C-alpha cells in the first residue's frame, strides 16, 4: 500500500534539503517525502498524484517561491487534492505589519503556518506537523474503528448514533442495510430481521437498536449518579460547565457534573473554532471538549451522563434530581447552555435526522460529497458549518433572513465564505417548506421582500437560527427573563430593589441566582456573551464565587 505523501516546495535548496531531512528522519516509515524546487514543478507532480489517486497529506510551501506567489500555489492545491493540509512556511519574527499569510488564512487559501527556523525540532517542528496530520486524518475514512453501524438510509436513530460517536471522537464505519457490506454483516452475526440500527463493537458485543443511554453506557460513561452528596454540582458540560469542573476539582471541591448528552454543548459541534485564545490555527469543538473533559477528570471531577430534572432547596439543603436519584450539594452551578431554536415548519420537522439537522455538521459531512446542501443561519456556528461542509458538498447555500451577513458573524468567517467558490449566500430569504419521502429532497425558499417562492433540490438542511435556554427543569424560585435565561447578580434588581424572595442581608454575588448558593454560568445566563472564551471565563468565575459563598456560610 502506497504511503501518504508530504510535498515540500522551496526554491532555497538548503532550506528544502533541511526540511526534507528532518521530516524523513521522523516520518518516512509511514509517509513518503517528495520535494520540488518550484510551484510549477510541484503542480505537475501533484496532478500526476491526483490521477493515480495517491493520498497527499501535507503540502508545505516556502513563502519565497520565485515563479508563483506561495499562497496562490497553495490555493490551487485544493482543486487537485481537496483534503490535503496546506502549510505556508514563513520566516519567524515578522510581527510588525500585515503579512500575506493573514489574508490567505482568512480567505481559506492556506490551512496552517510553519515557522523558519523550526529548531529545535522536538519543540517546534514535530508538534506542529502532528497537529497538521491530526487534522488531515480527521477528514479521512478511518482505517480502524471501534464500532460498525448497520442502519437504514435517512434513519433518525442511525443519525443519532453516528452523531454521538462523532462528537465523542470515537471512530466508526456506517453501512446501509441494503449495501453488500451491510447485508454481509447482518448475515455473519445472525441479525437478519432484527430491528435496525445495530451496532457491532470491536469487542464482539452487539447492540440492537440501542438507545442514546445504551450507547453512552457502552462507551463507559456512567448514566446514574454514584454520589449522594458533594461540595458542588455542575449541571451541564459545555464550555462553561467543563471550565467550572476543572477549577472546582483542581481547588479541592468534591465535584459532580451532570450532562445528558455528549459533552461540549453547541461549541462541541463546531468544526473549527479559530478565535479561541492560544490556538492560532483553531481547534475543533470535539478536540476542545475532549481536552477539557480529560482535564477535569484528572483533577477528580465525577461525570454522570443523566439529565437533571429538578432542583430543590429546603432549610438550606440544596439537591439536584437526575435519573431517579437525588444528590445534595453545598452549592450548585447551572451551566445547561442553550438549544437550537426550532424552525417550526411541520414538513421539515418530520424529516429531522433524515436530511434535516439542528446544529453543525459532524457525522453527515463526508456522506454529503457531491450533494446540494443548505444552511440556515447567520451566526458564527452557521458560518463554520458552511465552510466545513463546502469541503465535501458540491454547493453549500446559506439562507439568511437579514440583509447583511456581517451584522451577526465574525469578519474572518464572512471573508472566508466570500472567497469559497462553492458557498452561496441568499440574503433576505426564509425556508418555508420542504418535501421528501424517506429523506429530504426539496426546499421551498421565500424572498422576504417580494414574497416570491422558489423550490430547489436539497440533500440536507442544517438549521442554526438562534438559541433557547435549557431552563425548563428549574423551579419557579430561580428567576428568569422573558426568554427563559437565568437572572444573576445585579440583573435580579427591580427598580433598585431585590426581589421579595431574596433571604439574605447581603446582595447576590456576581453570578448568583435568586436562590443563594445556586449560580449560573455561560449561555444559559441572561446577558451572557455568546462566545466560547466568555463561557469558559464564566465557569471559572462561578467557582471563585462558590468559594466565597461557602466561606460566608461558615462564618
Amino acid at each position: 500500500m502506497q504511503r501518504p505523501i508530504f510535498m515540500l516546495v522551496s526554491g532555497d535548496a538548503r532550506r528544502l534539503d533541511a526540511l526534507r531531512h528532518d521530516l524523513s528522519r521522523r516520518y518516512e516509515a509511514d509517509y513518503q517525502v517528495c520535494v520540488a524546487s518550484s510551484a510549477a514543478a510541484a503542480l505537475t507532480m501533484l496532478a500526476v498524484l491526483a490521477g493515480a489517486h495517491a493520498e497527499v497529506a501535507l503540502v508545505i510551501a516556502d513563502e519565497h517561491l520565485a515563479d508563483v506567489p506561495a499562497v496562490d500555489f497553495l490555493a490551487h492545491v485544493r482543486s487537485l487534492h481537496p483534503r490535503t493540509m496546506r502549510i505556508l512556511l514563513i520566516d519567524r519574527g515578522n510581527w510588525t505589519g500585515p503579512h500575506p499569510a493573514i489574508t490567505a488564512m482568512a480567505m481559506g487559501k492556506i490551512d496552517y503556518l510553519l515557522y523558519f527556523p523550526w529548531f529545535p525540532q522536538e519543540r517546534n517542528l514535530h508538534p506542529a506537523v502532528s497537529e497538521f496530520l491530526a487534522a488531515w486524518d480527521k477528514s479521512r475514512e478511518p482505517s480502524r474503528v471501534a464500532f460498525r453501524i448497520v442502519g437504514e438510509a435517512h434513519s433518525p436513530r442511525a443519525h443519532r448514533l453516528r452523531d454521538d460517536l462523532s462528537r465523542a471522537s470515537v471512530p466508526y464505519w456506517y453501512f446501509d442495510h441494503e449495501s453488500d457490506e451491510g447485508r454481509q454483516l447482518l448475515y455473519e452475526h445472525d441479525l437478519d430481521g432484527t430491528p435496525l440500527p445495530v451496532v457491532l463493537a470491536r469487542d464482539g458485543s452487539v447492540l440492537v437498536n440501542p438507545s442514546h443511554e445504551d450507547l453512552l453506557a457502552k462507551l463507559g460513561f456512567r448514566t446514574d449518579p454514584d454520589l449522594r452528596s458533594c461540595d458542588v454540582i455542575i449541571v451541564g458540560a459545555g464550555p462553561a460547565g467543563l471550565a467550572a469542573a476543572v477549577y472546582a476539582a483542581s481547588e479541592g471541591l468534591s465535584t459532580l457534573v451532570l450532562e445528558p448528552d455528549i459533552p461540549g454543548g453547541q461549541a462541541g459541534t463546531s468544526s473549527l473554532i479559530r478565535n479561541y485564545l492560544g490556538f492560532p490555527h483553531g481547534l475543533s469543538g470535539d478536540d476542545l471538549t475532549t481536552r477539557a473533559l480529560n482535564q477535569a477528570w484528572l483533577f477528580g471531577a465525577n461525570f454522570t451522563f443523566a439529565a437533571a430534572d429538578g432542583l430543590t432547596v429546603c432549610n438550606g439543603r440544596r439537591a439536584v434530581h437526575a435519573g431517579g436519584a437525588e444528590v445534595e450539594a453545598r452549592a450548585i452551578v447551572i451551566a445547561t447552555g442553550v438549544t437550537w431554536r426550532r424552525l417550526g415548519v411541520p414538513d421539515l420537522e418530520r424529516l429531522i435526522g433524515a436530511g434535516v439537522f439542528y446544529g453543525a455538521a459532524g457525522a453527515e459531512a463526508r456522506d454529503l460529497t457531491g450533494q446540494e446542501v443548505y444552511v440556515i443561519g447567520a451566526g458564527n456556528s452557521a458560518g463554520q458549518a458552511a465552510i466545513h461542509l463546502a469541503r465535501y458538498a458540491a454547493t453549500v447555500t446559506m439562507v439568511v433572513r437579514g440583509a447583511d451577513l456581517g451584522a451577526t458573524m465574525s469578519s474572518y468567517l464572512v471573508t472566508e465564505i466570500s472567497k469559497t467558490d462553492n458557498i452561496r449566500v441568499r440574503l433576505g430569504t426564509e425556508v418555508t417548506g420542504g418535501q421528501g419521502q424517506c429523506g429530504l429532497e426539496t426546499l421551498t425558499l421565500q424572498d422576504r421582500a417580494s414574497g416570491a417562492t422558489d423550490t430547489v433540490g436539497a440533500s440536507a438542511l442544517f438549521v442554526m437560527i438562534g438559541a433557547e435556554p435549557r431552563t425548563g427543569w428549574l423551579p419557579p424560585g430561580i428567576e428568569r427573563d422573558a426568554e427563559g435565561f437565568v437572572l444573576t447578580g445585579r440583573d435580579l434588581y427591580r427598580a433598585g430593589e431585590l426581589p421579595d424572595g431574596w433571604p439574605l442581608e447581603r446582595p447576590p454575588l456576581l453570578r448568583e441566582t435568586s436562590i443563594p448558593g445556586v449560580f449560573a454560568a455561560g449561555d444559559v445566563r441572561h446577558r451572557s456573551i455568546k462566545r466560547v472564551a466568555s463561557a469558559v471565563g464564566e465557569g471559572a468565575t462561578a467557582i471563585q464565587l462558590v468559594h466565597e459563598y461557602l466561606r460566608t456560610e461558615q462564618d
Side-chain angles (χ1 to χ4, degrees), residues 403-464:
D404 180 14
L405 193 62
T408 52
M409 186 180 294
S410 295
S411 61
Y412 77 89
L413 287 171
V414 176
T415 300
E416 187 166 354
I417 287 168
S418 69
K419 300 299 181 181
T420 303
D421 292 338
N422 62 333
I423 297 181
R424 304 165 184 168
V425 180
R426 293 187 59 156
L427 299 172
T429 305
E430 292 181 292
V431 175
T432 58
Q435 296 294 328
Q437 293 299 316
C438 298
L440 181 67
E441 297 173 4
T442 65
L443 290 172
T444 302
L445 308 181
Q446 183 177 60
D447 184 278
R448 299 188 70 207
S450 68
T453 61
D454 183 19
T455 299
V456 297
S459 298
L461 173 69
F462 295 87
V463 184
M464 285 162 275

Side-chain angles (χ1 to χ4, degrees), residues 369-386:
T369 298
Q371 305 296 311
E372 307 294 323
V373 177
Y374 284 73
V375 176
I376 305 179
N380 282 2
S381 295
Q384 290 161 352

Side-chain angles (χ1 to χ4, degrees), residues 140-371:
R140 307 166 70 208
E141 188 74 16
S143 57
R144 294 185 179 183
V145 297
F147 296 96
R148 293 171 293 174
I149 304 172
V150 181
E152 297 173 300
H154 306 297
S155 162
R157 284 290 308 120
H159 159 70
R160 178 62 188 271
L161 294 172
R162 296 162 66 197
D163 188 57
D164 285 343
L165 292 174
S166 294
R167 292 185 61 187
S169 299
V170 177
Y172 68 90
W173 287 329
Y174 176 76
F175 303 99
D176 188 275
H177 73 300
E178 293 184 343
S179 68
D180 292 340
E181 298 91 340
R183 289 195 187 99
Q184 184 65 27
L185 284 171
L186 293 175
Y187 173 77
E188 288 177 355
H189 292 82
D190 196 24
L191 294 169
D192 287 319
T194 58
L196 297 176
V198 297
V199 178
L200 308 169
R202 193 172 182 179
D203 63 8
S205 60
V206 177
L207 302 177
V208 177
N209 194 20
S211 66
H212 172 67
E213 291 74 20
D214 292 335
L215 184 63
L216 289 177
K218 185 62 184 176
L219 292 173
F221 298 139
R222 293 192 61 88
T223 55
D224 60 292
D226 60 347
L227 299 176
R228 290 298 173 260
S229 65
C230 59
D231 290 326
V232 60
I233 297 174
I234 299 163
V235 187
L242 290 170
V246 167
Y247 283 92
S250 68
E251 294 168 9
L253 298 175
S254 58
T255 304
L256 173 64
V257 182
L258 293 173
E259 168 61 59
D261 211 335
I262 299 296
Q266 286 190 338
T269 68
S270 296
S271 57
L272 186 67
I273 304 168
R274 274 197 57 205
N275 57 357
Y276 190 71
L277 184 68
F279 292 87
H281 296 129
L283 79 167
S284 66
D286 58 349
D287 282 343
L288 175 63
T289 299
T290 300
R291 292 167 186 254
L293 183 64
N294 286 335
Q295 191 174 17
W297 178 73
L298 287 170
F299 279 125
N302 291 278
F303 285 84
T304 296
F305 291 83
D309 52 25
L311 187 156
T312 57
V313 178
C314 183
N315 298 323
R317 172 178 171 272
R318 292 160 190 79
V320 173
H321 305 263
E326 180 182 275
V327 184
E328 294 186 20
R330 299 168 66 198
I332 297 169
V333 177
I334 301 166
T336 43
V338 294
T339 186
W340 294 111
R341 184 172 292 122
R342 310 302 283 192
L343 190 60
V345 177
D347 286 339
L348 294 176
E349 291 296 309
R350 68 179 179 81
L351 292 172
I352 292 175
V356 177
F357 309 99
Y358 282 89
E364 302 80 18
R366 278 197 298 267
D367 296 334
L368 294 171
T369 298
Q371 305 296 311

